[in-house]
Amino acid sequence: MTGRDVISREEIRALTEARLTFGARGRAPDTRATLDFALDHAQARAAVLAGLDEAALSAALGRSGLAHRTVTSLAGTRETFIRRPDLGRRLSGEAEAALADAGPADVALVLGDGLSATAVMLNGVAFVATLAGRLAAEGLSVGPVILAHQARVALGDGIARAMGAETVVVALGERPGLSASDSLGVYITHRPLAETPDSARNCISNIRDAGMGVEAASDQACRLILAMRRTGQSGVALSQSLAAGARLAAPDDQA
Amino acid sequence: MTYRADIQGTRYSFASLKTLLARASPERSGDALAGLAAEGPVERIAAQRCLADVALSDFLGDVLEVDGDPVSELIADQHDPAAFAPVSALTVGGFRDWLLDPATDATEISGVARGITPEMAAAVSKIMRAQDLIAVAARIEVVTRYRSTIGLRGRLSTRNQPNHPTDDSRGIALSALDGLLHGAGDAVIGVNPATDTLPDYIRICEVLEAIRTQLAVPTQHCVLGHVTTALAAMEAGAPVDLVFQSVAGSGKANAGFGVTLAMLDEAHDAVRALGRAPQGANLMYFETGQGAALSAEAHHGMDQQTMEARAYAVARRYDPLLVNTVVGFIGPEYLADGKQIIRAGLEDHFCGKLLGLPMGVDICYTNHSWADQEDMDILLTALAAAGVNFVITVPGADDIMLNYQSLSFHDAGFIRDTLGRPPAPEFAAWMEANGIGTGEAALPALGEALGRLRLPAA
């Protein structure tokens, strides 16, 4: 690139979302910029502290023809959940027992609050409904959707084991950034263990209106699940064997 | 050995020095997560009273109690009995009183650095209030040099951190230029790459080198990739000013970062051999942070603040240019709220300075912590009073790659105006020559500055 004259404000905005200074320097940011920042932070905090609106989720799942069950992790409350990630990864013995008749299923679908219930309320149901449709078309059973309160990713491992599901998909709200507090993350694990390492999971992130769409994310998730069931692997091992030549089949390649 | 304290008829027992240190730690969520925290405020103070009576020399044994831990071995090797002599007969409480005694000369405090072990520094910090941590740190001047001189008394340097989510060359350049036009970047212009590939590392180095040389900025740059990537980049002839690495307080935790002392030794030799820096310059940059060892399950039952101080033993092996704790980045499971982040930032700065390090702080938090920009204002003001060598600054306090909030370029300006803390003298002269901070800027506005810059092809 050689030197040019002036890069326009529009070109700059296309290059970066950084909060650059365009006006006067050597003074505090103006009132507008300060309050814009405060609003972005307030929205991120609201997303972190929000809970799942179970009535709304239940109604939306019902409209999609999906049954559901509800669980809460050992974290119990939002405050505990944020300070004690270990408790957000575990179910009580009673909760596990109550899931026994929800399976067996090929794939367990879990919709958890994670660190942004906002993300789940916006796109969670659309994602699980779309994915459930893709999986049904592949002849895979999914069982009821599990709505999980105070849920970290690994909570899905215990849910899948309690249900007798071979593969588990956990969709939950990602930690809000200042500019986006509505990102849904999806973690897929095949044959989860009591202590599944994160390296055994495959992840699809940044699912939101301004990021990856629900359809594309569902397609990708379905392809990953099929590849897991074909190879018996997930996570880094799956990525490596796919890179080594095993083909990641598109759903329409399947009989 | 068991340590005991009796408070109003109740006996509190602590099975080891390591346990005593943990129970004496001011409250933080990470120690509770690890199951190491005091059961309540009274047990905590019982532990602090007990700790105050422990002889400093008791810390010369293996406090971590892990056979063959390379950081423990390093700590033992580093200990200089001659430097330790002036305080060798003191208890932890006596050491605190000595540090705060107006009759203790500042050069005496600096003089014991190589005699003090990380565990001693952590121990005394646990019985010091915020003002004690500020008052003692403010007396310790640790000066380092590359193209700029960092850490001189009465000055505050900044890292200009122009991160970009896709490592776009022009995106990085825009944020770096924005910072320079604010007068930020005299400690370093340092990018955390979104990827850790060698071609990206080299390209970002070249982008930063283009900015530095074309604008003749008296500073140094750094790509904060893994040390092995830096080694490969130096082998490939990339313009590497500083080698960076995250380090922690146990061999296992460093293994979690994929790093050994042998690797750091090799990188230190390699960057010196490049000969880019003036004679005698400091060539390494380290980041640390409380909770790093616990998150790697490599804390061995030691509290997170003592583990953090142990990381400084690794850092000081290399006489680094810059060390900073990334205090609030790790999240609320380790430091829950603004109070805990503020306390940890002051502790880390104090312990680093006491151990002789050129300590800076990334004053920061994530959105799931109970913290906000106001907590950062308070910590910045306190650390400026404590004489922090440098702080991290990003455009508008919003790091769009790492998704957390640090300080803004404006925040450094606030301290310069309010407390009178100019940047490094070489950089201040460059700012003056270019009219930065005045109405007569010789450097153009952002869009024009980017347009003039000749960046390497992507």
Side-chain angles (χ1 to χ4, degrees):
Chain A
M1 188 192 307
T2 53
R4 283 170 41 192
D5 293 329
V6 177
I7 311 295
S8 71
R9 180 95 169 246
E10 290 68 33
E11 284 176 273
I12 288 174
R13 290 273 55 122
L15 286 169
T16 181
E17 290 186 316
R19 293 174 197 247
L20 303 169
T21 300
F22 292 100
R25 295 172 190 275
R27 46 162 295 167
D30 65 19
T31 302
R32 181 60 185 269
T34 304
L35 291 177
D36 283 351
F37 184 101
L39 177 60
D40 289 343
H41 184 240
Q43 280 169 336
R45 290 297 297 156
V48 168
L49 297 174
L52 296 177
D53 180 345
E54 212 173 309
L57 289 173
S58 166
L61 287 168
R63 283 194 296 276
S64 301
L66 292 170
H68 74 277
R69 299 280 190 91
T70 302
V71 299
T72 301
S73 78
L74 282 180
T77 66
R78 207 67 191 146
E79 168 101 15
T80 305
F81 170 76
I82 287 169
R83 289 173 191 256
R84 292 291 304 272
D86 54 327
L87 298 180
R89 299 183 187 116
R90 290 162 51 202
L91 283 176
S92 68
E94 301 83 70
E96 282 182 6
L99 286 174
D101 67 346
D106 295 318
V107 181
L109 297 180
V110 181
L111 202 47
D113 42 12
L115 285 166
S116 170
T118 303
V120 178
M121 298 312 296
L122 285 173
N123 287 311
V125 171
F127 171 76
V128 293
T130 308
L131 177 59
R134 299 276 198 282
L135 294 173
E138 299 294 337
L140 297 175
S141 61
V142 298
V145 173
I146 308 299
L147 290 182
H149 294 282
Q150 319 305 351
R152 302 265 175 183
V153 172
L155 189 69
D157 299 344
I159 291 172
R161 288 156 64 86
M163 284 175 63
E166 193 170 31
T167 311
V168 59
V169 178
V170 180
L172 40 62
E174 294 178 346
R175 191 183 91 196
L178 210 54
S179 47
S181 49
D182 58 349
S183 269
L184 195 69
V186 170
Y187 297 81
I188 310 174
T189 313
H190 191 56
R191 295 179 189 148
L193 308 168
E195 298 283 335
T196 305
D198 284 340
S199 59
R201 309 187 196 285
N202 292 86
C203 172
I204 305 166
S205 63
N206 197 31
I207 301 164
R208 61 187 178 109
D209 293 346
M212 180 182 256
V214 162
E215 296 277 337
S218 301
D219 286 342
Q220 197 178 330
C222 188
R223 282 198 294 272
L224 281 167
I225 291 164
L226 294 174
M228 285 173 190
R229 298 179 71 83
R230 201 168 56 243
T231 64
Q233 295 170 318
S234 63
V236 175
L238 177 67
S239 304
Q240 284 171 347
S241 64
L242 292 176
R247 199 164 59 97
L248 182 59
D252 55 1
D253 286 347
Q254 303 290 312
Chain B
M1 170 168 176
T2 301
Y3 295 83
R4 293 189 185 85
D6 294 310
I7 303 227
Q8 291 178 346
T10 303
R11 166 151 293 190
Y12 296 87
S13 297
F14 310 98
S16 66
L17 199 47
K18 184 163 68 171
T19 303
L20 179 63
L21 285 166
R23 301 293 190 274
S25 289
E27 184 178 2
R28 67 207 60 204
S29 49
D31 290 339
L33 179 65
L36 297 170
E39 282 192 10
V42 179
E43 188 192 17
R44 179 170 294 115
I45 302 305
Q48 290 181 1
R49 289 168 69 114
C50 187
L51 181 62
D53 291 336
V54 174
L56 283 185
S57 55
D58 278 14
F59 290 87
L60 293 174
D62 176 11
V63 186
L64 187 68
E65 299 180 52
V66 173
D67 284 341
D69 180 78
V71 179
S72 296
E73 288 170 3
L74 179 62
I75 290 167
D77 286 349
Q78 281 178 349
H79 176 69
D80 176 350
F84 186 51
V87 293
S88 61
L90 298 178
T91 59
V92 174
F95 185 42
R96 174 186 172 278
D97 293 336
W98 181 83
L99 288 168
L100 289 165
D101 188 342
T104 304
D105 194 80
T107 57
E108 291 179 83
I109 298 177
S110 300
V112 300
R114 293 279 163 172
I116 300 302
T117 66
E119 287 88 352
M120 292 177 202
V124 74
S125 77
K126 292 179 195 296
I127 57 165
M128 292 169 77
R129 277 173 47 194
Q131 69 165 258
D132 304 339
L133 298 171
I134 293 168
V136 176
R139 301 188 69 198
I140 305 172
E141 189 181 34
V142 182
V143 179
T144 56
R145 293 181 179 82
Y146 200 107
R147 298 185 189 98
S148 54
T149 307
I150 302 156
L152 292 168
R153 194 177 302 285
R155 293 179 183 266
L156 173 72
S157 293
T158 51
R159 168 176 162 195
N160 178 334
Q161 179 172 296
N163 294 343
H164 187 277
T166 61
D167 291 334
D168 180 82
S169 293
R170 290 196 297 166
I172 288 170
L174 275 165
S175 289
L177 289 168
D178 188 37
L180 288 169
L181 291 167
H182 277 283
D186 57 322
V188 63
I189 305 174
V191 171
N192 298 89
T195 69
D196 202 11
T197 70
L198 182 60
D200 284 329
Y201 185 104
I202 294 173
R203 175 177 54 83
I204 299 167
C205 262
E206 288 169 347
V207 167
L208 299 180
E209 178 75 351
I211 293 169
R212 181 186 76 78
T213 54
Q214 289 170 38
L215 299 179
V217 193
T219 190
Q220 34 288 331
H221 53 73
C222 187
V223 181
L224 285 78
H226 193 265
V227 63
T228 52
T229 312
L231 271 164
M234 288 189 278
E235 211 161 283
V240 174
D241 273 355
L242 287 170
V243 169
F244 167 83
Q245 183 56 47
S246 292
V247 293
S250 71
K252 188 180 175 193
N254 285 317
F257 286 134
V259 62
T260 62
L261 295 177
M263 257 179 224
L264 294 173
D265 289 351
E266 185 187 350
H268 191 210
D269 290 342
V271 71
R272 190 189 294 115
L274 289 184
R276 293 173 55 80
Q279 194 66 32
N282 308 89
L283 300 164
M284 301 290 279
Y285 176 12
F286 295 106
E287 280 189 343
T288 63
Q290 290 190 28
L294 174 57
S295 74
E297 291 177 20
H299 61 297
H300 303 295
M302 185 170 263
D303 71 271
Q304 68 182 34
Q305 190 249 337
T306 307
M307 285 308 283
E308 167 73 5
R310 285 170 57 91
Y312 304 159
V314 177
R316 71 176 174 175
R317 176 177 172 86
Y318 303 98
D319 294 322
L321 182 78
L322 307 164
V323 180
N324 67 264
T325 170
V326 193
V327 67
F329 183 73
I330 193 161
E333 57 267 45
Y334 302 92
L335 296 167
D337 54 22
K339 180 176 171 67
Q340 293 184 10
I341 292 171
I342 289 167
R343 167 82 203 177
L346 293 174
E347 288 167 347
D348 293 352
H349 176 254
F350 163 82
C351 288
K353 284 281 172 73
L354 188 62
L355 293 167
L357 287 174
M359 206 66 196
V361 179
D362 187 352
I363 297 171
C364 64
Y365 65 102
T366 58
N367 283 324
H368 59 322
S369 297
W370 285 269
D372 60 23
Q373 226 59 33
E374 203 159 63
D375 296 306
M376 304 302 106
D377 292 342
I378 302 297
L379 181 53
L380 170 61
T381 307
L383 281 168
V388 68
N389 279 33
F390 70 101
V391 293
I392 308 290
T393 51
V394 302
D398 177 11
D399 189 306
I400 58 172
M401 196 282 278
L402 293 171
N403 278 320
Y404 75 119
Q405 282 89 257
S406 182
L407 298 180
S408 67
F409 302 134
H410 298 81
D411 293 330
F414 148 70
I415 286 296
R416 301 204 193 295
D417 293 347
T418 306
L419 296 178
R421 293 281 192 281
E426 302 84 353
F427 194 88
W430 174 83
M431 284 173 62
E432 193 176 345
N434 287 284
I436 294 171
T438 73
E440 324 267 309
L443 291 180
L446 205 49
E448 204 181 336
L450 181 66
R452 284 191 195 174
L453 209 58
R454 297 177 307 283
L455 293 175

